[in-house]
Amino acid sequence: MGKIYQIYGQDAHAMTKELLQAANAISLVNNLNNKANKTIALKPNLVVAAAPDGGAVTHAGVLSGAIEYFIENGIAVKNISIIEGSWVGDETMRAMRKAGYDKVCSKYNIKFFDLKKDAVRDIDTAIGKIPVCCKALDAGLLVNLPVLKGHCQTVMTCALKNLKGCLPDSEKRRFHSLGLTKPIAALAAALRPKLNIIDSICGDLNFEEGGNPVQTNRMYLGFDAVQLDAYSLK
């Protein structure tokens, strides 16, 4: 299993940069199989339109810290984007503004893509074909930025379940009808994000939409989503 890097504090921006530096994350970009595709897609958790201190969505500082790190290590701004699609009942762009991501995008001139409006492509998985948003599939490096929190159906949501935001709304509904666990595992096995940064600063440990945050002041980074979810249960 890979190494897990952990840090404590409350400054999500600084903590994210420190984690990325400690893990030498730029090497993941430099070692991409397709050297011409040095694009980075940051995938936070924006399940609902809420401020991050409610325990439901990824802190804006995680995004700004990651963006600064990659820019300082030679990645062109045009090659970095933020991608996400909120849950079926909410509007992604409203959620991104509520979380303060619009300010991050403006400061660094970064594009934000609403995956609800993205094209999809079918990928083969253990449970059959799954339509996945192209912005996630075509990124040179997909950076998974989940919140560690509780969930009303799966008990916990972290690195694996955060990838569900890379689906169109119709497929999100189907995942729920299938019971979530197996389809989420199948999706994660197909996408396999190589870099995961867990925002555990104040996740709500009971409910995915937040409201009762628990201040743990912790973040951690790893390369294997399954390992990180197992670690998160400890």
Side-chain angles (χ1 to χ4, degrees):
M1 301 295 281
K3 187 174 182 179
I4 294 175
Y5 300 80
Q6 185 163 273
I7 190 170
Y8 288 88
Q10 294 183 330
D11 186 338
H13 177 93
M15 292 162 70
T16 299
K17 289 186 72 173
E18 286 190 45
L19 285 171
L20 289 165
Q21 289 162 358
N24 189 29
I26 193 62
S27 64
L28 295 173
V29 182
N30 295 333
N31 294 331
L32 288 171
N33 291 330
N34 182 357
K35 300 296 184 182
N37 185 21
K38 288 194 174 183
T39 58
I40 297 170
L42 306 176
K43 187 348 189 139
N45 185 311
L46 267 181
V47 61
V48 292
D53 59 7
V57 304
T58 306
H59 284 80
V62 178
L63 295 168
S64 61
I67 290 166
E68 275 197 13
Y69 170 82
F70 286 116
I71 290 174
E72 290 170 0
N73 282 276
I75 303 300
V77 169
K78 67 178 181 179
N79 288 337
I80 305 172
S81 63
I82 302 170
I83 65 171
E84 173 63 317
S86 295
W87 82 291
V88 175
D90 217 328
E91 297 177 5
T92 307
M93 300 311 291
R94 185 170 78 99
M96 71 88 80
R97 290 190 293 271
K98 186 71 174 178
Y101 295 3
D102 54 337
K103 296 179 178 65
V104 174
C105 291
S106 177
K107 179 178 180 179
Y108 298 98
N109 195 27
I110 296 294
K111 290 184 177 179
F112 183 100
F113 293 100
D114 180 357
L115 295 185
K116 288 176 182 277
K117 300 178 180 179
D118 194 25
V120 300
R121 190 161 68 244
D122 285 345
I123 56 174
D124 292 319
T125 76
I127 65 166
K129 292 187 181 297
I130 294 177
V132 180
C133 296
C134 292
K135 293 293 184 186
L137 290 173
D138 296 338
L141 179 67
L142 177 62
V143 183
N144 193 20
L145 305 173
V147 176
L148 172 60
K149 54 187 178 177
H151 192 273
C152 62
Q153 290 174 268
T154 58
V155 181
M156 181 196 77
T157 170
C158 193
L160 294 173
K161 191 174 179 300
N162 194 48
L163 298 173
K164 185 166 158 280
C166 298
L167 301 173
D169 279 357
S170 58
E171 190 66 1
K172 291 173 188 172
R173 293 189 187 95
R174 190 174 79 93
F175 267 39
H176 280 274
S177 72
L178 295 174
L180 287 180
T181 305
K182 287 184 178 180
I184 286 170
L187 174 63
L191 279 178
R192 290 187 180 276
K194 294 183 176 64
L195 181 60
N196 308 268
I197 303 172
I198 313 302
D199 180 354
S200 180
I201 293 176
C202 63
D204 186 327
L205 302 184
N206 293 306
F207 188 40
E208 66 272 20
E209 294 182 24
N212 294 288
V214 176
Q215 204 78 31
T216 59
N217 301 323
R218 178 178 69 148
M219 290 180 61
Y220 44 104
L221 177 154
F223 310 107
D224 186 312
V226 175
Q227 180 190 25
L228 286 169
D229 274 18
Y231 179 76
S232 298
L233 288 170
K234 294 181 178 180

